[in-house]
Amino acid sequence: MTRPRALALLVTGILLVAGGPPATRSAAAQPAPVAVQGSVSSGAAVLGNGVVERRWTFTAGQATTSSWRDLVTGGQWALPRSEDFSLTVDGRTVGPASGLTLVEARAGSVAVDRARPGAAGGRQVVLRFRLDAPRVEVTRSYALFPGSAVMAVGTTVRNESGSTVQIGDHALEQLDTPLGGEGEVRALQAGATYQLEHLQLHRERAGFDHEGEILRVDDGRGAGIFLINGRRSAPSTRAGRTPVAGGWRTWVGAQPQRELGMAPILIVRPQSQSNRILNPLWPIAGHVRRIGPGNQVDLGRAWLGAYHGGADAAPAAWVRELQEHVMPPLPGDVQQNTFHPFPDGEDSNERAMATVADAAKAVGVETLVLDDGWQGGPGGLAGDWRMDPARYPDRDGDGVVDFAERLERQGIRLGLWMQLALFHRDSDAFRQHPQWACAPLGLVGAAVEDYNGLGFWDLNQPQLRAHLLSAVDRILAQTHARELKLDNMTWMGCVGHDFEDMHDAWLSLVREIQRRHPDVVLQSDETVDMRTWPFESAAIGPSWFEDDHLHDGVGLVANHLYDLWSQAPWMPLSLVGLPALHDLPDGVSVRDVMPIELLARTTFWADLRKLGRDAAEVRWWLRYRAEHRQALTGISHPLTDESPLGEGWTVLQAGDGREVHLVAARQQAPAAIRTVRLRRLDPQLRYAVRDVRSGQALGAWSGAELMGPGLRVRIDRVGATRMLAVVAAPEPSGPPPCSSTRRVTIHLGTGGRRVRSARATVNGRRVPTRIVGRNGVRIAFDGRGPGRVRVRVQARTVDGRGQATTRRYRLCRPGRR
């Protein structure tokens, strides 16, 4: 089969003989993405970057969105005078054109964040509003980064009155739009002990109001908008659509009155769906946000994005925004966690952990996380946070524990488990400062033997926060730890502070740790409390997602597949921590499990010293993961619709563009073959497919074939898992074939992104061009020769990225026309 993407420079009426391989494309030669433009005038504001653009109109103290455009396609998604948000204050609903008065509008740069160095070059527009009765100030900050199709918005409310203000239902982001097609809402929930269903999915053609963090609306032709709700997963976190004149008001936000509060962990039963206490009287009564005089609350972030080119383009745009501008950079390492194989007893000590580190290093583990048990000794209980000198001594007195220095010599990163929200009743911190405890509920756990004597702090207290930050600074200095696993994020409200205040205090504490230690990874543990999943958690770092509490009647493989399938494609699966090799059931081999673990944040809960013959298998998979780490992260697509908790097939695709991987599992399906259609490949590239473990070549197909008719995947054994690599053929380096055609088509390596504009020169002289397909640039030649020519193509893709390439050729005599 002729390779459709062959870079055969088929020159007009001449025969070509290559004068050497194509010149290597220099990164420095690629055009930069369009800079973000943000400006404010007396009657308007604009924020755009060549990909998307938002415009506001200011009239008589009102501010409305007058335009929200996809600049690549020209799609206009906003109706005139669209209100961006709404807010219920003391029972009265107000917005930027209905009750609130615009008092300030300004534009500027997004502040640099040391923990997120990739989030540079952003611009923002800030709008400040005032409500006179009660006197409240609302500040909205809209941020956009170069090349992004997604705009972020944050909302803060400050109470400037003399009494407490109540905040009820509020829309964090909304747009009045002509889009009337199908709306899709997703709620992503963590794999917690008390949450059996991790995905809620609704598709509606009319108005709706659902729990969820993701809302996408399509125009019926593969283009539209999506909104992301940055609030934690909860029944009060909502996404909806309501009719307005000429279209629909599409929004994401919160309805706090749907909840009454949080249930203590001790009284939540396994059959319960969550530890939220629902309001049986909704829509009356229930919880509201209360802001005291002079205080300010952050209602959270939301994002609004545009997409085109099919529904898969929406999560692709979001995952890119999440990884480049929201998340801190992550090492993507393989971990050994010590909690289950080595509980907090005699095994948690320097001598035992040294043998664990040796076994972990031998198979390719990069980070050893000491879970509960490293703290202790005088002044070292939970709340004090000191490494137990009896278990982990510092013999040379240099201020760094010897075990940490041993790991550094081995090239292993050290991680530490901490539960900063909790304290032990015998800790020095609690004995000396009992007023720091959350009264009265935080004191209950400390008095209950079954809860290990643990209570929880009131994280709103400044002196307590200073103590905890100092403890983190000290323990990081003493251990050189590069990761903290933050567990037991417990809050249920205290006297003077409700559970929302505790939630906000926790997030601000974690962000302060990141500012002080930007090179330290913070991992959230969502397995019991589901406090910040999904996007608040992702903004912090990876998450311990699944505590190995399995659904009844299905095996470990199906459970782990379900955990990943339920979060794709909107969440990078490399953030999702699963208990690798923990309690493997009979009949399940390491080879059946490891392909799944490579998609997640690979974290071993098994004692790697006892792997035996399986050690070589684990070592092989981890070596492959290290060699293909970048291709295994980023966006993942579920290629099968049915839940992995059933008896069919599950196929997940990791990555897009030139290199992707498929993890396929045949659970109890009778058929040994399943055909799946791949996502977001380059239709003009030719892809070779091979079995990763055996290396067997399975064939080669074009991207169009793999996305159209699809790929037949065969697994002969029921219960087996297989990983396939789908890799685009490399650029040819030999002489291109001769041709007598009158046009030349050069295909650029754009990773599947569509080319928007192109410019070409031959020997420095501009020649006509035309874009062909997704990434082809057709060039017209004048047919003169012979001689040497230098062809240069510069192009820009739809997301603002630049592509450039140079080819040098020696022209032979013109052929017959």
Side-chain angles (χ1 to χ4, degrees), residues 39-173:
S39 62
V40 172
S41 64
S42 59
V46 61
L47 185 63
N49 62 356
V51 181
V52 294
E53 178 191 79
R54 188 174 204 156
R55 290 181 177 271
W56 294 266
T57 299
F58 309 145
T59 306
Q62 298 182 348
T64 56
T65 293
S66 56
S67 173
W68 211 101
R69 296 175 58 209
D70 180 340
L71 296 178
V72 177
T73 64
Q76 172 62 268
W77 303 128
L79 296 174
R81 295 184 57 79
S82 174
E83 289 199 80
D84 296 351
F85 69 100
S86 65
L87 192 66
T88 303
V89 183
D90 286 352
R92 174 189 173 195
T93 300
V94 296
S98 52
L100 294 175
T101 301
L102 180 67
V103 295
E104 182 188 21
R106 65 181 188 274
S109 299
V110 175
V112 176
D113 186 344
R114 292 178 60 211
R116 295 162 183 80
R123 296 277 293 174
Q124 64 179 354
V125 169
V126 179
L127 306 181
R128 187 164 58 89
F129 300 88
R130 186 183 66 241
L131 180 66
D132 291 327
R135 192 165 182 83
V136 167
E137 184 175 281
V138 181
T139 301
R140 300 268 291 175
S141 57
Y142 303 81
L144 183 63
F145 292 91
S148 177
V150 188
M151 193 173 294
V153 58
T155 306
T156 60
V157 180
R158 181 175 181 81
N159 180 8
E160 297 183 339
S161 72
S163 59
T164 297
V165 169
Q166 296 184 354
I167 305 297
D169 295 358
H170 48 278
L172 295 172
E173 176 66 291

Side-chain angles (χ1 to χ4, degrees), residues 93 107 129 229 256 283 414 445 449 457 476 539 637 701 733 743-744 771 776 811:
T93 300
F129 300 88
N229 195 333
L414 174 63
E449 291 296 334
W457 296 118
L476 291 178
H637 298 281
W701 295 268
S733 58
R743 295 292 183 268
V744 175
I771 297 171
L811 307 187

